[in-house]
Amino acid sequence: LAALALAPSASASQSMLSVIQDDNQLIYGSGQQRERVLASAAGVGADSVRVTVLWKAVAHTRRRIRRANDPAAYPSGQWDRYDDLVRSATSRGLRVYLNVTAPGPSWAHARTRSRKNRGTWKPNASEYGRFFTAVARRYSGIYKDENQGNGLLPRVSWWSFQNEPNQGSWITPQSARYRGVRRPVPTSPHIFRR
């Protein structure tokens, strides 16, 4: 106790933010769970929340989406969980950090014989770009929510793309074998860069 009493006090850095993430509670849980977590986060002094905008969760269709860069081209109910989170977090003074990521719908990936990797195999970069544009437009601060009396959705200005491309559950193939090369050659960095 004496050592603690004599220790200099620590001060928080003005350039650092505290971020919480729990997609299961914030996106895939109930509205009550989301509100409880957001209230707790704000109560302990968190600055922001990070959530994954999972491409296949929003573009949950069997056919390719036309005008895929338009948020209205997607089933409107698929946006609700994100809309509710963005509205609630913003109203509590929490910044929202959206990570827009594959895997996407089956029509947005190259075909493979590997059943295990069908949902992650070589995502189409152009389709992913169109989806990202739709998400950015929706949370631009000028988009009207079709489900909430046409109210404006809050602006999100903190973004990242593609979650953990070095993990096979997000992008495959992670590597490939080539004749004359002894070790597998990493391929996911090239897919990610594209």
Side-chain angles (χ1 to χ4, degrees):
L1 289 176
L4 288 175
L6 297 174
S9 63
S11 61
S13 170
Q14 297 301 317
S15 62
M16 293 178 64
L17 296 172
S18 58
V19 181
I20 67 153
Q21 178 179 10
D22 190 337
D23 286 352
N24 288 334
Q25 298 285 316
L26 294 171
I27 296 298
Y28 301 111
S30 69
Q32 293 168 328
Q33 287 174 309
R34 179 190 63 245
E35 294 307 311
R36 191 169 43 247
V37 170
L38 289 173
S40 178
V44 298
D47 299 303
S48 51
V49 293
R50 178 188 188 268
V51 295
T52 302
V53 181
L54 194 59
W55 185 11
K56 72 179 181 181
V58 176
H60 188 65
T61 61
R62 291 197 179 274
R63 292 189 180 153
R64 183 179 171 274
I65 293 177
R66 292 195 176 137
R67 300 180 348 269
N69 59 353
D70 179 0
Y74 297 83
S76 62
Q78 301 301 88
W79 294 110
D80 290 347
R81 65 185 101 194
Y82 301 103
D83 295 349
D84 293 343
L85 171 94
V86 169
R87 269 194 291 273
S88 186
T90 301
S91 73
R92 294 174 190 277
L94 295 165
R95 284 182 70 186
V96 178
Y97 168 18
L98 296 180
N99 172 244
V100 182
T101 189
S106 59
W107 49 264
H109 290 271
R111 293 183 186 214
T112 179
R113 285 185 244 150
S114 169
R115 261 195 126 130
K116 182 178 101 174
N117 295 324
R118 282 188 184 151
T120 58
W121 193 263
K122 297 181 181 178
N124 182 299
S126 296
E127 291 293 347
Y128 172 73
R130 286 189 267 282
F131 174 66
F132 202 117
T133 300
V135 179
R137 285 182 175 162
R138 188 166 189 90
Y139 301 109
S140 63
I142 60 172
Y143 192 85
K144 293 182 179 179
D145 183 0
E146 60 282 330
N147 295 326
Q148 297 287 329
N150 284 327
L152 288 179
L153 288 164
R155 178 179 171 77
V156 173
S157 57
W158 192 5
W159 303 86
S160 63
F161 60 93
Q162 191 55 44
N163 193 52
E164 299 181 289
N166 61 326
Q167 299 292 321
S169 57
W170 298 100
I171 289 181
T172 52
Q174 285 289 300
S175 61
R177 292 198 172 272
Y178 294 95
R179 193 176 304 163
V181 180
R182 292 178 64 176
R183 296 183 181 189
V185 176
T187 56
S188 62
H190 302 287
I191 297 168
F192 175 71
R193 184 173 143 213
R194 214 179 27 247

